[in-house]
Amino acid sequence: MCVDKCHAKFQCDVILIQALFKALGLNEVDFKFGLTKVFFRPGKFAEFDQIMKSDPEHLAWLIKKVQKWLIGMRWRKVQWCGLSVIKCEFLAIQACSVFTANVM
């Protein structure tokens, strides 16, 4: 149980960091996730650090961009779940009709 909670927390942290990096314009080839750290390509961390130390207005814009990305990601996840439910329902109806046809 604890392992599941820790894994879920790690996934939430990774998603938040990915949103931040997307907002900063970093590509997925510019960084890699380790178990406890994020590894950057040479020169990318300095660019990231410079952006994070910029003016407050830019940081407010950055926060809005991260929030927008997170909302979009959640919306895509909701859409995927909805499609999965529809597919499962369709498969269940198909299985019932096959079972009914075989019984009769």
Side-chain angles (χ1 to χ4, degrees), residues 4-68:
D4 292 338
K5 286 182 182 179
C6 294
H7 182 67
K9 182 181 179 331
F10 175 74
Q11 287 298 323
C12 290
D13 293 344
V14 167
I15 290 170
L16 181 63
I17 293 169
Q18 282 179 335
L20 178 62
F21 291 165
K22 290 277 186 185
L24 291 171
L26 294 174
N27 296 325
E28 294 202 15
V29 297
D30 294 335
F31 61 90
K32 293 261 188 203
F33 288 103
L35 292 176
T36 59
K37 297 179 184 177
V38 178
F39 298 95
F40 290 93
R41 294 190 126 222
K44 291 296 178 178
F45 183 75
E47 182 181 332
F48 172 73
D49 195 39
Q50 182 181 12
I51 292 170
M52 293 306 293
K53 290 182 179 179
S54 64
D55 62 306
E57 291 175 5
H58 180 70
L59 289 177
W61 172 81
L62 186 65
I63 289 170
K64 286 182 183 179
K65 198 167 178 182
V66 168
Q67 289 174 336
K68 182 179 176 184

